[in-house]
Amino acid sequence: MTQPVGIGGPRFNAISAVGQTGTTPGALAGQAMTTLANRVAGTVTRALGLAQGDRSPLQAGDAYGIEGVARDLAATLNAGPADAGRLSRALHDFTSEVASLVAASPTSDVLDRLSGLGNAPLDPDGRPGMSDSDKVIATIDSALFQLREDPTRVGR
């Protein structure tokens, strides 16, 4: 049986496993995804009344601060405008998927899935000539693929 999310509990803290410390492209992607996953989980579960804390409604626009995270990541990677836009879109897609998962099923199982992203290698080998921005986007795309997998499918 799945239990409602306890934001102050150990399940919420497990989300931090998504991120890594360091300055490799994979670690930077993990840090950005951790920040956004934590914001989504906290905001949505508070809005649904499943956790203590401020229950202010979600605001239109950039409710989770995705653009700020994308700007910081692009600056760290010295990304040009085109790559900055690609990073922003990738983080928006990731955040949208996390928000959908948490809103659809605000249980500890969902937080386990988010924390399980840390078990996958976050640094793709990459093809020759792949920029750090390309590697970060590949890492985010890999995390999206994992989140979109059906957890109930046979063989898992």
Side-chain angles (χ1 to χ4, degrees), residues 5 16 40 45 49 52 55 77 90 94 137 146:
V5 174
S16 64
V40 168
T45 54
Q52 300 292 339
R55 292 188 186 184
L77 296 170
F94 173 79
I137 291 167
Q146 290 177 49

Side-chain angles (χ1 to χ4, degrees), residues 68-129:
V69 172
R71 271 192 307 275
D72 292 346
L73 186 56
T76 300
L77 296 170
N78 293 319
D83 282 342
R86 292 175 51 228
L87 289 165
S88 176
R89 281 188 298 280
L91 289 172
H92 273 278
D93 289 347
F94 173 79
T95 305
S96 177
E97 188 68 24
V98 170
S100 295
L101 284 170
V102 173
S105 180
T107 63
S108 59
D109 290 345
V110 170
L111 294 183
D112 285 344
R113 287 186 68 202
L114 292 174
S115 67
L117 293 175
N119 297 330
L122 291 176
D123 280 317
D125 291 334
R127 62 190 182 280

Side-chain angles (χ1 to χ4, degrees), residues 34-58:
T34 296
T35 297
L36 294 172
N38 280 322
R39 288 178 185 172
V40 168
T43 301
V44 172
T45 54
R46 280 190 303 275
L48 293 173
L50 299 173
Q52 300 292 339
D54 179 23
R55 292 188 186 184
S56 57
L58 292 176

